[in-house]
Amino acid sequence: MNLKKDKLIEFTNLVNECCEVMDDGYVADWLTKPNPDLNMDVPLDIFNKEGTDRIFRLLYFIDIGEADI
């Protein structure tokens, strides 16, 4: 994982949000595997390229039961 220092807080916030909607032990797998709800993009790759908007939107839908983990 190539995480820049200036993105550390943003990444921490992302992990914390993931922990709110899924089991803590699954977060690392979820962040590093292709996701069908993200057009088979890997959430961590999206974070590094685009930021968190797309991922937070998916986490919202997971939280309200409109998307699967």
Side-chain angles (χ1 to χ4, degrees):
M1 177 170 83
N2 187 12
L3 186 64
K4 297 178 183 176
K5 283 184 183 180
D6 62 331
K7 291 190 132 197
L8 186 58
I9 291 174
E10 188 178 6
F11 179 73
T12 301
N13 291 339
L14 174 61
V15 171
N16 287 336
E17 188 65 27
C18 289
C19 290
E20 291 292 321
V21 301
M22 65 187 75
D23 181 57
D24 296 358
Y26 187 67
V27 172
D29 284 340
W30 190 84
L31 285 170
T32 58
K33 290 184 179 178
N35 188 298
D37 291 317
L38 296 170
N39 298 323
M40 296 310 289
D41 289 334
V42 174
L44 196 53
D45 291 343
I46 293 171
F47 171 79
N48 285 325
K49 293 176 188 170
E50 302 172 25
T52 57
D53 290 345
R54 233 171 113 194
I55 303 167
F56 280 138
R57 192 169 31 254
L58 175 56
L59 290 171
Y60 167 76
F61 285 112
I62 291 170
D63 189 38
I64 64 170
E66 296 285 323
D68 295 325
I69 297 175

